[in-house]
Amino acid sequence: MAKQGMTTQEEAAEQLRVIRSMMERATVFRALSGETALVGGAISMTVAWFSEKRHGWPWSAWWIGGLLVVLCFYAFQSYRMKAVDNRPFWGSGLRLALRGALPPLITGGFLGLLFVRGGNDVVAACMWVIHYGLALLAIREFAPKSMVWLGWAFVVFGVASLAFVADVIHLEQHWMMHLNSSRLMAIAFGGFHLIYGGLIVTTGRRDEIPV
């Protein structure tokens, strides 16, 4: 009987741990979704406008600056939501998300900067788009399905853009003249985020967490 009671207590403790972990993950993805996506999309469009005629390090500096602004907004959103729920900022959900997302983000960031140094901003933009999508897919096991679709959109668009740049897929010269790094970033980080954020906010599916 004592052994059976111990087993029941362990099962209850495990269930509570799973529920707590799911709640922390939900908080993380609420912060990542909706308002943050809209703000990130708007900032990306603004950065694309100012970086349109810039190249090399000045171009990348604009995008890195925009990234820092979005990260600050995300940190504020996450901290605010954690404070409302009376939970620590550095929870298991955030650790799991970073553990999955950081490897592709670091790899893509490094490869992008290498191409910036080599004078190919368009390929750098493709690297950032692809690896950002891979980062979203890396946390697909506990991310909302909508975010998984967003990840695939980035990967497919980034790979297709890279194929156009490498002339693996032929694109008419008229269109190639309009293809530059800032516009690629605007479509992906601006357009995709605005569409995603708008859908999440208007449909009220910010708390969509798979069971």
Side-chain angles (χ1 to χ4, degrees):
M1 291 290 292
K3 184 177 181 180
Q4 183 178 0
M6 194 66 163
T7 303
T8 303
Q9 290 180 0
E10 291 175 351
E11 290 177 351
E14 178 64 18
Q15 290 176 358
L16 287 173
R17 186 191 67 79
V18 171
I19 292 172
R20 185 180 295 111
S21 177
M22 291 288 287
M23 290 176 64
E24 290 184 351
R25 293 173 187 178
T27 302
V28 170
F29 291 113
R30 280 200 304 270
L32 282 171
S33 299
E35 294 89 347
T36 304
L38 290 174
V39 170
I43 290 174
S44 296
M45 289 297 190
T46 303
V47 172
W49 175 269
F50 285 104
S51 64
E52 170 74 18
K53 296 182 180 180
R54 299 177 187 272
H55 303 282
W57 296 119
W59 173 82
S60 63
W62 271 100
W63 285 101
I64 292 172
L67 171 63
L68 293 177
V69 173
V70 175
L71 287 177
C72 289
F73 181 80
Y74 161 72
F76 169 75
Q77 287 284 83
S78 184
Y79 178 80
R80 181 173 61 85
M81 290 178 180
K82 294 274 187 178
V84 170
D85 295 332
N86 197 24
R87 291 200 303 272
F89 175 78
W90 188 253
S92 62
L94 182 58
R95 289 197 298 270
L96 283 170
L98 290 177
R99 190 181 304 166
L102 276 180
L105 288 177
I106 293 173
T107 303
F110 178 73
L111 289 175
L113 291 177
L114 282 182
F115 281 104
V116 169
R117 184 185 180 191
N120 199 328
D121 300 342
V122 175
V123 176
C126 293
M127 290 293 105
W128 287 345
V129 170
I130 292 170
H131 285 82
Y132 178 76
L134 292 175
L136 294 181
L137 293 177
I139 55 178
R140 64 185 177 275
E141 297 300 329
F142 50 88
K145 291 181 181 179
S146 55
M147 193 173 292
V148 176
W149 285 109
L150 180 65
W152 277 116
F154 271 89
V155 171
V156 171
F157 177 75
V159 171
S161 300
L162 191 60
F164 291 138
V165 172
D167 206 23
V168 175
I169 300 176
H170 180 68
L171 193 66
E172 293 295 333
Q173 188 65 29
H174 171 74
W175 292 105
M176 286 296 294
M177 291 174 60
H178 298 284
L179 186 67
N180 63 35
S181 53
S182 290
R183 293 172 186 176
L184 288 177
M185 296 284 280
I187 294 172
F189 290 99
F192 290 173
H193 277 143
L194 288 175
I195 294 172
Y196 172 79
L199 290 174
I200 294 299
V201 170
T202 56
T203 58
R205 299 180 63 188
R206 282 188 281 173
D207 297 334
E208 177 195 1
I209 298 292
V211 179

